[in-house]
Amino acid sequence: MAKGPVPLLEDSNAKLIKLDDKIFCEHYCTTGGFSMGDIDLWACLCSITIISGVQLSTKLRGYMDNLSELGNVPLYNDMAL
């Protein structure tokens, strides 16, 4: 079991770096264009934006911002704890 939130946050940030390489571009997660995969992935990633200290790369942050604007659903960055 982890001792406090810091190791968990470091692990999450390391996994987000790996995810960045798998995202096709700032608009879609796959080469086929916008899909259900984007809706599913965005919903999962949106949830972690409420955690202070989560580090999103430029491409991943652009992806999150683009889909947030497209769906008119805000991210939780302003409420991050």
Side-chain angles (χ1 to χ4, degrees), residues 19-20 22-35 37-39 41 59-60 62-64 66-67 70:
L19 177 62
D20 182 72
K22 297 176 192 263
I23 299 288
F24 176 68
C25 69
E26 292 183 355
H27 300 282
Y28 322 113
C29 66
T30 62
T31 58
F34 188 76
S35 68
D38 290 295
I39 294 168
L41 178 61
K59 183 169 72 173
L60 196 52
Y63 175 78
M64 295 298 298
N66 287 331
L67 269 68
L70 181 66

Side-chain angles (χ1 to χ4, degrees), residues 26-73:
E26 292 183 355
H27 300 282
Y28 322 113
C29 66
T30 62
T31 58
F34 188 76
S35 68
M36 286 299 295
D38 290 295
I39 294 168
D40 188 43
L41 178 61
W42 186 86
C44 292
L45 292 174
C46 181
S47 298
I48 67 168
T49 63
I50 200 163
I51 302 169
S52 181
V54 168
Q55 298 172 352
L56 300 173
S57 67
T58 302
K59 183 169 72 173
L60 196 52
R61 181 60 201 212
Y63 175 78
M64 295 298 298
D65 289 340
N66 287 331
L67 269 68
S68 176
E69 185 177 328
L70 181 66
N72 196 29
V73 178

Side-chain angles (χ1 to χ4, degrees), residues 1-4 7-8:
M1 178 174 254
K3 296 180 180 178
L8 296 173

